[in-house]
Amino acid sequence: MAGRHLKELFKAFQTHDELTFRRVATEIIEEEESKHHNALARDLRRLLVAGGSPVDTGSTVLIPSPPKDREGEWDLGEVREPSRMLDDLILDPHLVADLDSLVNEVQQWPALDSAGIPRRQRLLLEGPPGCGKTTAAEALAHELGRPFLLVRLDAVVSSYLGETASNLRRILDYADQAPFVVLFDEFDALGRSRDDHAEHGEMKRVVTAFLQMTDRYNGPSLLLAATNHSGLLDHALWRRFDEVLTFRKPTVHEFRRLLRLRLRTTAYRGLDIDRYASKLQGLPHAAAEKLVSDARREAILRGGSRVEARDFEAALPSITRRPW
Ligand SMILES: Nc1ncnc2c1ncn2[C@@H]1O[C@H](COP(=O)(O)OP(=O)(O)O)[C@@H](O)[C@H]1O
Ligand SMILES: [Mg+2]
C-alpha cells in the first residue's frame, strides 16, 4: 500500500470524510487485486461493504451532498446504497457474461492503467423499458461495493441555453470525488428541453457535449447511460461509448425462470408456470414481476394462505392488456 494511501486514509478519518475514505479504500483493494492478492482483497471488500451505508450517514460521517442546479433549486443527483444484485436478474447469457467481465475489469483498473490499456469506463445500456437496465446499473454498484449515484436528468435538463451542459459538468465534478457507479438514466431526455418537445438536432448537440466532456474521463467512477430509445440517435453517436450493452425482452424460457425466481419466497400450489410464461411472451421482464405481485395480492385479499392458479388467472388479463 502506497504511503499516499495511508496519509489519505488517516486524513479522511480525521475529517470524518467517508466518501474519501471509501474512495481510498477502494483504490487499495483494487491495487491488491491487481497484484493478485485475491483473498486479502476479498476480505477488505467484504469489510467495506459490511461497513454500512454511505448514505445513511448517522451523525459522524460527512458526505458532500450531490450538486444542485444553478438556482440551487433541484438536486442534480441522488446517492443510494445499492440493494439489488445481478442474481436478481434473468438476462441473456451473453449479457450476463458482459456484466461479469465488466465487474472484473473495474476491479482491475489499476492493472490496465499500468499496462497503458484504456479502461472501458463509459457504457451505454440500451433496450426496451422494463428489461432491467436501471436494476442492472444498481446491481453493478452493489457487486463493486460502490455507492450508486443516480443522476436526475429532469433536473439536469434546463431550458436555459448552455445550462444543461453546466449541470452535466457539476455532476461529473461530483462523480470525481469518489468511486461511484453513476447512472444517467433515461439518457435520451438530455435532448429535451423542459419547454420543448424532443428535437433531434438539440438531442444530438447535448449528447455530443456529454460525450466530449467524458471523452477521456478516467476519474474514479464508472459512467453508465441508459436509454429506451437508442433509435432516436444515429449510430455514430452510440459508437462513441466504450461499450454498448443491449437488453432484450425475455424468451418464454426466461419467463419461466423469472416466475420461479420471483415465487421463491412464496407458498404456492398448482400453478401452471409454462402457461403463464407463454401468455407473457412479447412483454418485458417487469410484466412477470408484476404478475407475481398482483397474484400474491389476490391471494392475500381473498384470505388464502397460498398463491393458487385462480390468483394468477385473476391477475393475468390486466397484465397482458396494459401497455408496457
Ligand atoms: N432482466 C430482469 N430480470 C428480473 N427482473 C427484471 C428484469 N428486468 C426488469 N426486471 C424487473 O422489472 C422492474 C423494472 O426494471 P428496470 O430495471 O427499471 O427496467 P428498465 O430500466 O430497463 O426500464 C424492476 O423491478 C426489476 O426487478
Ligand atoms: Mg430504467
Side-chain angles (χ1 to χ4, degrees), residues 28-44:
I28 293 169
I29 294 170
E30 285 169 355
E31 189 181 307
E32 295 304 325
E33 268 159 353
S34 67
K35 292 188 211 148
H36 300 290
H37 298 162
N38 294 333
L40 173 62
R42 200 179 45 239
D43 287 351
L44 290 177

Side-chain angles (χ1 to χ4, degrees), residues 84 88-92 127-136 185-186 226 228 247-248 250 258 261-262 284-287 289:
R84 309 298 296 264
D88 284 336
L89 293 170
I90 301 287
L91 298 166
D92 182 297
C131 293
K133 300 179 296 297
T134 306
T135 313
D185 210 355
E186 318 272 333
N228 299 330
F247 288 66
R248 296 186 199 293
L258 181 51
L261 183 67
R262 291 290 180 261
H285 301 77
E289 192 170 84

Side-chain angles (χ1 to χ4, degrees), residues 248-256 277 281 285:
R248 296 186 199 293
K249 288 184 178 167
T251 60
V252 173
H253 174 63
E254 284 163 346
F255 267 131
R256 263 183 240 130
Q281 198 169 7
H285 301 77

Side-chain angles (χ1 to χ4, degrees), residues 84-207:
R84 309 298 296 264
M85 292 188 291
L86 284 176
D87 281 351
D88 284 336
L89 293 170
I90 301 287
L91 298 166
D92 182 297
H94 296 294
L95 187 53
V96 174
D98 285 347
L99 291 168
D100 286 344
S101 94
L102 181 62
V103 169
N104 181 35
E105 179 173 328
V106 173
Q107 287 168 347
Q108 302 205 47
W109 276 350
L112 291 182
D113 292 350
S114 6
I117 294 173
R119 308 166 174 181
R120 285 183 303 171
Q121 190 153 11
R122 191 180 59 173
L123 289 87
L124 180 72
L125 280 49
E126 61 111 0
C131 293
K133 300 179 296 297
T134 306
T135 313
E138 181 182 334
L140 282 171
H142 190 270
E143 307 289 333
L144 289 164
R146 293 169 167 229
F148 183 48
L149 171 59
L150 190 61
V151 177
R152 295 202 40 209
L153 277 187
D154 52 341
V156 165
V157 172
S158 164
S159 41
Y160 295 108
L161 198 65
E163 201 51 34
T164 302
S166 353
N167 285 340
L168 282 172
R169 181 79 276 148
R170 288 187 185 102
I171 202 87
L172 287 168
D173 287 346
Y174 179 73
D176 260 349
Q177 296 180 42
F180 291 105
V181 169
V182 187
L183 176 62
F184 296 84
D185 210 355
E186 318 272 333
F187 182 65
D188 38 281
L190 263 189
R192 284 178 229 143
S193 105
R194 284 223 179 101
D195 310 325
D196 273 344
H197 287 303
E199 197 237 294
H200 190 81
E202 170 70 359
M203 184 178 313
K204 193 166 166 173
R205 198 180 60 76
V206 185
V207 172

Side-chain angles (χ1 to χ4, degrees), residues 199-228:
E199 197 237 294
H200 190 81
E202 170 70 359
M203 184 178 313
K204 193 166 166 173
R205 198 180 60 76
V206 185
V207 172
T208 306
F210 171 85
L211 287 166
Q212 274 163 0
M213 262 181 231
T214 55
D215 224 0
R216 269 175 295 279
Y217 179 84
N218 68 345
S221 291
L222 176 69
L223 307 182
L224 305 174
T227 177
N228 299 330

